[in-house]
């Protein structure tokens, strides 16, 4: 068990390391000079040189990488060019907003998608099921920025029930959450239906039914019990992905989270800020992934962690 | 076959030529799960095809249709509502014909989507089948890369690459293809793993065929059909991904703005000119719903038995 956790932690850290290294190389390979975007188009060559000197951009790539590795170990990724504050701090201040949005969205998704998927799996091939099925297809076909703008116009402008942007009141959470959840509900409910249908067709369920087990128990304890792991994994993976910033939705609703931060950091070529964002979100995502794996034995007593890793 | 005939009489009492009586009526068959499933799949296929074609045909014909130039500005005809002065979708804040913009932008979006899906499909099928068939270190490398990519912050990386290397059509196509190949690769790999153990593969090997020849001539033809189905569903995702990128300003600007860009342009005028966001969005939804329905219908369609079986 401890071995397993250590192994997974090692793998996770390796992934994070490779990710930030890739990003480090990518942003330096690309055209565009952060000194120019920092000093402005009217800066003289001397001023640009000063800026490069100040940010250490005049050093060779290897030297810069070496410094970056040292910074990585101390957890201080340098000063953000545009915020003039430690980059990690800037990102850390935005993180709670993204966390709140992601948590609210995943909760709403779970609460709606699981019963919906079960409902569909219990009425296969009926007209109503077909209708809901088509609705879920529509749900996964709508671009989230468009859904967001539509909801925004409908419920913040035409009928001003919720605030249009930001997170000043709890009401501000409603529209972005719904926007994200529409897509997730469509995806997860279809998945729940698929898993449940497979379990309903399994022989063990026929045996249980013939023994006279009640339908609700069949559904929730038997079939759901066996669908729990894939469904839980899907929800967890989606949640981890959301921590990387629900970029589009954050931009639409001017949500002060990590997603809108990275868009701005990219525009201004704020190297430390880009690196800090990627590092922090990758760490969080890997951490969540590990927690999901650790929760498997709780959901299914047959799972032994060390062995599950090799399977 | 007359299945709704008499239920009376035992099979033994009937003359040998007559079909054996059955309690199953035509109504029963029509109400059976399999029939309804087939009908549902058929409905999805038809509706999906109609939705897709409704968007694609005008896009293909955009250069022929009597439409104003997509980039022609007429400041005296700004923000006209739909159906005025021959502007079916109305005009935008610079007086450009919205329908024309949507159709010409659609050409770019669709080209990117199709190219991206072709590239990712090719990469995915080649690497996935190689990993599944050869196993060993090939499999290890491909699987590790797959895993690593699944744990990467996807949209963030895409944005990063596009923001850094410029929003040109090749860059965006490449980026979407890179985002999508894991799905094809994983599916192909798992199917090839199953296929590889079948007797015909051993037979081919005993006949002395080279491993690569077996893979290309015998195994891939058996999995390609299902793999292409996934590729169809990826087309829908590619269109959505491209529109999200161009919404964030990381989409191609030339020769025409694509769908996401048109929507983000119209965003500022949403309260006064609803059509500038709503209509392009509906076009995307129609198209993506169509492709998704097609993919779903094809997958749900009951497999026809082969001739003679």
């Amino acid at each position: 068990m401890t071995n397993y956790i250590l192994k997974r932690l090692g793998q996770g850290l390796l992934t994070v390391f490779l990710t930030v290294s890739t990003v480090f190389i990518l942003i330096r390979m690309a055209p565009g000079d952060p000194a120019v975007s920092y000093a402005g188009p009217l800066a003289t060559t001397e001023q640009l040189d000063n800026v490069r000197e100040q940010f250490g951009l005049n050093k060779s790539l290897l030297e810069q990488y070496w410094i970056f590795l040292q910074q990585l170990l101390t957890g201080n990724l340098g000063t953000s060019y545009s915020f003039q504050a430690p980059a990690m701090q800037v990102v850390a201040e935005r993180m709670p907003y993204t966390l709140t949005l992601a948590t609210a969205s995943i909760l709403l998704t779970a609460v709606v998608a699981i019963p919906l998927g079960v409902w569909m799996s219990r009425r296969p091939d009926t007209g109503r099921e077909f209708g809901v099925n088509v609705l879920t297809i529509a749900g996964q076909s709508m671009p989230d920025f468009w859904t967001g703008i539509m909801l925004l116009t409908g419920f913040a402008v035409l009928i001003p029930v919720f605030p249009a942007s930001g997170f000043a009141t709890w009401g501000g959470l409603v529209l972005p959450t719904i926007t994200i959840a529409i897509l997730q509900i469509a995806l997860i409910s279809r998945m729940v239906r698929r898993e449940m249908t497979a379990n309903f067709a399994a022989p063990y369920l026929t045996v249980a039914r013939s023994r006279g087990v009640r339908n609700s128990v069949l559904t929730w304890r038997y079939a759901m019990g066996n669908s729990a792991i894939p469904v839980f994994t899907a929800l967890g993976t989606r949640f981890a992905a959301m921590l990387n910033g629900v970029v589009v939705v954050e931009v639409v609703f001017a949500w002060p989270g990590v997603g809108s931060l990275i868009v701005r950091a990219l525009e201004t070529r704020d190297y430390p800020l880009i690196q800090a964002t990627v590092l922090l979100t990758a760490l969080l995502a890997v951490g969540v992934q590990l927690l999901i794996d650790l929760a498997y034995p709780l959901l299914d007593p047959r799972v032994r962690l060390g062995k599950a890793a090799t399977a | 076959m007359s299945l709704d005939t008499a239920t009376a009489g035992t099979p033994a009492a009937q003359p040998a030529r007559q079909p054996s009586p059955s309690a199953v009526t035509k109504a029963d068959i029509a109400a059976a799960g399999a029939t309804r499933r087939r009908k549902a799949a058929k409905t999805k296929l038809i509706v999906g095809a109609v939705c897709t074609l409704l968007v694609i045909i005008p896009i293909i014909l955009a250069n022929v249709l009597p439409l104003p130039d997509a980039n022609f500005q007429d400041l005296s005809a700004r923000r006209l509502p739909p159906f005025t002065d021959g502007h079916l979708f109305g005009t935008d804040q610079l007086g450009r014909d919205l329908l024309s913009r949507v159709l010409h932008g659609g050409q770019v979006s669709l080209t990117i989507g199709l190219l991206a899906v072709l590239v990712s499909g090719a990469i995915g099928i080649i690497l996935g089948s190689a990993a599944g068939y050869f196993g060993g270190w090939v499999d290890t490398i491909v699987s590790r890369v797959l895993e690593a990519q699944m744990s990467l912050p996807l949209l963030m990386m895409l944005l990063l690459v596009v923001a850094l290397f410029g929003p040109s059509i090749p860059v965006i196509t490449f980026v979407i293809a890179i985002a999508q190949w894991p799905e094809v690769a994983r599916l192909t790999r798992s199917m090839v793993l199953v296929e590889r153990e079948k007797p015909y593969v051993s037979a081919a090997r005993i006949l002395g065929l080279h491993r690569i020849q077996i893979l290309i001539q015998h195994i891939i033809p058996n999995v390609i059909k299902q793999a292409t189905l996934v590729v169809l569903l990826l087309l829908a995702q590619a269109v959505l991904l491209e529109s999200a990128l161009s919404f964030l300003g990381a989409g191609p600007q030339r020769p025409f703005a694509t769908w996401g860009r048109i929507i983000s342009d119209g965003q500022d005028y949403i309260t006064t000119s609803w059509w500038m966001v709503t209509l392009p969005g509906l076009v995307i939804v129609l198209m993506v719903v169509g492709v998704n329905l097609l993919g779903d219908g094809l997958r749900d369609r009951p497999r026809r038995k082969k001739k003679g079986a």
Side-chain angles (χ1 to χ4, degrees), chain A residues 106-256:
Chain A
I106 210 72
L107 284 180
L108 180 62
T109 305
V111 167
V112 179
I114 294 176
L116 189 66
V118 170
W119 182 89
M120 286 197 283
S121 71
R122 285 180 65 171
R123 284 162 198 74
D125 311 311
T126 59
R128 277 179 298 168
E129 191 264 349
F130 182 70
V132 176
N133 195 346
V134 171
L135 273 185
T136 58
I137 292 182
Q140 66 186 33
S141 306
M142 293 193 287
D144 41 8
F145 56 90
W146 183 73
T147 328
I149 300 176
M150 289 291 115
L151 286 174
L152 196 74
T153 318
F155 298 101
V157 180
L158 297 180
I159 317 165
V161 191
F162 301 109
S165 65
F167 187 33
T169 58
W170 287 104
L173 189 61
V174 176
L175 293 180
T177 306
I178 294 177
T179 309
I180 299 172
I182 287 177
L183 171 67
Q184 306 297 342
I185 289 170
L187 293 170
I188 300 282
S189 65
R190 289 171 72 81
M191 188 205 165
V192 171
R193 184 188 67 139
R194 211 166 45 233
E195 291 294 329
M196 293 291 282
T197 309
N199 275 308
F200 276 135
Y204 78 90
L205 216 97
T206 316
V207 173
R209 200 190 301 276
S210 62
R211 282 208 329 262
V213 178
R214 262 185 301 132
N215 228 337
S216 57
V217 179
L218 279 181
T219 309
W220 292 104
R221 194 172 311 156
Y222 285 58
M224 197 64 216
N226 279 304
S227 310
I229 282 204
V231 171
F232 181 73
T233 310
L235 283 171
T237 314
R238 300 260 149 212
F239 181 69
M242 281 181 211
L243 293 183
N244 292 319
V246 240
V247 180
V248 175
V249 175
E250 285 189 7
V251 169
V252 170
F253 290 95
W255 190 259

Side-chain angles (χ1 to χ4, degrees), chain A residues 34-47:
Chain A
V36 175
S37 66
Y38 177 79
L42 298 174
T44 60
T45 322
E46 273 168 39
Q47 282 171 320

Side-chain angles (χ1 to χ4, degrees), chain A residues 36-65:
Chain A
V36 175
S37 66
Y38 177 79
L42 298 174
T44 60
T45 322
E46 273 168 39
Q47 282 171 320
L48 285 180
D49 282 341
N50 280 339
V51 172
R52 288 197 190 104
E53 173 86 43
Q54 188 192 336
F55 295 148
L57 292 166
N58 50 353
K59 299 197 177 75
S60 76
L61 200 61
L62 267 178
E63 260 181 288
Q64 287 189 44
Y65 188 58

Side-chain angles (χ1 to χ4, degrees), chain B:
Chain B
M1 255 204 333
S2 59
L3 289 160
D4 55 341
T5 45
T7 49
T10 57
Q14 300 280 332
R17 282 293 182 87
Q18 275 202 331
S20 55
S22 166
V24 181
T25 61
K26 266 184 181 163
D28 286 334
I29 290 181
T35 314
R36 280 182 298 180
R37 210 152 33 239
R38 195 173 327 121
K39 267 191 195 152
K42 209 170 162 189
T43 318
K44 279 184 187 171
L45 274 177
I46 294 171
V47 176
V50 169
C51 290
T52 317
L53 291 177
L54 216 57
V55 179
I56 287 185
I57 290 179
I59 287 179
I60 294 174
L61 298 179
N63 295 333
V64 190
L65 294 174
L67 287 169
D69 189 318
N71 289 329
F72 174 72
Q73 301 179 4
D74 179 1
L75 294 180
S76 63
R78 274 176 298 167
R79 298 199 270 132
L80 293 177
F83 298 110
T84 42
D85 293 347
H87 298 292
L88 275 185
F89 275 21
T91 58
D92 69 1
Q93 76 279 13
L94 295 172
R96 291 173 291 192
D97 182 69
L98 194 60
L99 179 62
S100 179
R101 289 195 81 196
V102 167
L103 293 185
H104 283 97
Q107 289 182 335
V108 184
S109 293
L110 267 189
T111 312
I112 293 178
L114 284 173
L115 283 177
V117 160
L118 281 180
V119 174
S120 65
I123 303 179
I125 289 174
I126 292 171
L127 289 183
S129 56
Y133 187 64
F134 296 119
W137 59 269
V138 183
D139 189 24
T140 311
I141 293 178
V142 174
S143 300
R144 283 292 158 275
V145 173
L146 279 178
E147 260 174 39
Q149 201 180 325
M150 305 296 256
S151 57
L152 281 184
L154 185 66
L155 189 59
M156 203 186 270
M157 295 299 270
L158 301 190
L159 266 178
L160 190 82
V161 176
V162 177
L164 296 173
F165 291 90
S168 67
I169 294 177
V171 169
I172 295 172
T173 308
F174 174 75
V175 151
I176 296 178
I178 290 298
Q180 293 195 321
W181 77 274
E183 207 152 329
V184 189
R186 270 193 316 166
L187 182 79
T188 316
R189 178 178 170 272
S190 61
M191 284 191 301
V192 169
L193 276 178
V194 174
E195 223 41 51
R196 161 179 97 163
E197 303 303 328
K198 289 191 176 167
Y200 74 87
V201 176
S202 325
R205 202 177 297 141
I206 292 166
L207 283 173
L209 291 185
H210 193 267
R211 294 208 297 172
I212 292 178
Q213 203 179 356
I214 299 178
L215 180 61
I216 294 173
Q217 285 190 350
H218 297 284
I219 294 183
I220 290 185
N222 279 320
V223 299
I224 197 97
K225 220 174 163 184
Q226 285 204 53
T228 40
L229 236 162
V230 176
V231 170
L232 188 65
L233 290 174
L234 285 185
L235 176 64
Q237 276 183 32
V239 170
L240 285 182
L241 209 53
E242 191 277 324
S243 71
L245 281 174
S246 67
F247 175 78
L248 292 172
Q253 311 289 323
R254 273 184 206 87
F256 301 108
T258 55
W259 290 338
R261 180 68 197 209
I262 298 173
I263 290 178
S264 96
D265 280 351
Q267 209 184 167
D268 300 335
Y269 304 92
I270 180 78
T271 44
T272 49
S273 319
W274 57 270
W275 57 92
M276 281 164 60
V277 169
T278 314
L279 294 180
L282 282 177
V283 172
I284 303 181
V285 175
L286 194 64
M287 152 104 199
V288 177
V289 165
V291 174
N292 274 330
L293 278 174
L294 267 181
D296 240 40
L298 283 175
R299 198 186 48 210
D300 294 352
R301 195 178 48 169
R303 302 261 177 281
R304 286 270 161 74
K305 280 180 189 154
K306 283 180 186 157
K307 280 173 212 159

Side-chain angles (χ1 to χ4, degrees), chain A residues 12 15-16 19-20 244 276-287, chain B residues 151-153:
Chain A
T15 310
V16 172
T19 310
V20 290
N244 292 319
T277 317
V278 173
L279 175 67
L280 213 63
T281 52
L283 273 178
L284 257 178
V286 166
Chain B
S151 57
L152 281 184

